[in-house]
């Protein structure tokens, strides 16, 4: 598994690490998701990435404390970049994102 945040998100949504056609859009969506994560209590300052060089461990040295953060960021990006076509799949993804937000917020406030 890759440590690059961008490459991990690409794999999460089904894009090859080698494909850079969507990197600018994905980076924008990742940074938005990272900002939302900051607003629910993750980190002491907003985080951003600029390329595939930033790693989870670089931005979040204690990432193992909140392993769901990686999936949460991936889901948020998927929802913005390539949302499911079916209504039930869309609702399931929304519910999963909301659950992760609640659980992450609880974990960082604990």
């Amino acid at each position: 598994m890759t440590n690059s945040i961008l490459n991990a998100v690409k794999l999460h949504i089904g894009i090859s690490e080698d494909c850079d056609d969507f990197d600018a859009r994905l980076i924008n969506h990742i940074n938005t998701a990272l900002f939302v994560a900051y607003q629910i209590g993750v980190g002491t300052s907003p985080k951003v990435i600029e390329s595939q060089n930033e790693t989870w461990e670089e931005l979040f040295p204690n990432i193992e404390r909140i392993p769901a953060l990686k999936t949460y960021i991936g889901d948020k990006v998927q929802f913005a970049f390539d949302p499911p076509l079916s209504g039930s799949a869309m609702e399931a993804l929304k519910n999963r994102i909301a659950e992760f937000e609640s659980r992450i917020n609880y974990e960082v406030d604990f």
Side-chain angles (χ1 to χ4, degrees), residues 5 20 25 27 41 59 64 74 78 83-85 105-106:
I5 295 171
D20 61 3
R25 285 180 58 201
I27 288 170
L59 265 61
E64 70 279 350
Q78 180 180 0
L85 296 178
N105 182 263
Y106 172 79

Side-chain angles (χ1 to χ4, degrees), residues 17-85:
E17 291 181 32
D18 300 330
C19 177
D20 61 3
D21 297 345
F22 308 105
D23 283 6
R25 285 180 58 201
L26 291 172
I27 288 170
N28 183 51
H29 292 311
I30 290 166
N31 287 334
T32 299
L34 289 171
F35 182 72
V36 173
Y38 166 71
Q39 288 190 320
I40 62 172
V42 176
T44 57
S45 63
K47 310 290 186 195
V48 295
I49 68 166
E50 296 178 4
S51 69
Q52 68 179 359
N53 296 328
E54 293 85 7
T55 66
W56 292 107
E57 293 76 14
E58 180 183 347
L59 265 61
F60 304 102
N62 296 320
I63 188 73
E64 70 279 350
R65 183 169 171 245
I66 310 172
L69 182 61
K70 292 179 183 181
T71 303
Y72 169 73
I73 297 297
D75 284 354
K76 288 286 282 183
V77 172
Q78 180 180 0
F79 188 79
F81 178 77
D82 187 25
L85 296 178

Side-chain angles (χ1 to χ4, degrees), residues 4-16:
S4 163
I5 295 171
L6 176 59
N7 288 339
V9 169
K10 284 181 178 182
L11 291 175
H12 183 89
I13 63 175
I15 298 175
S16 168

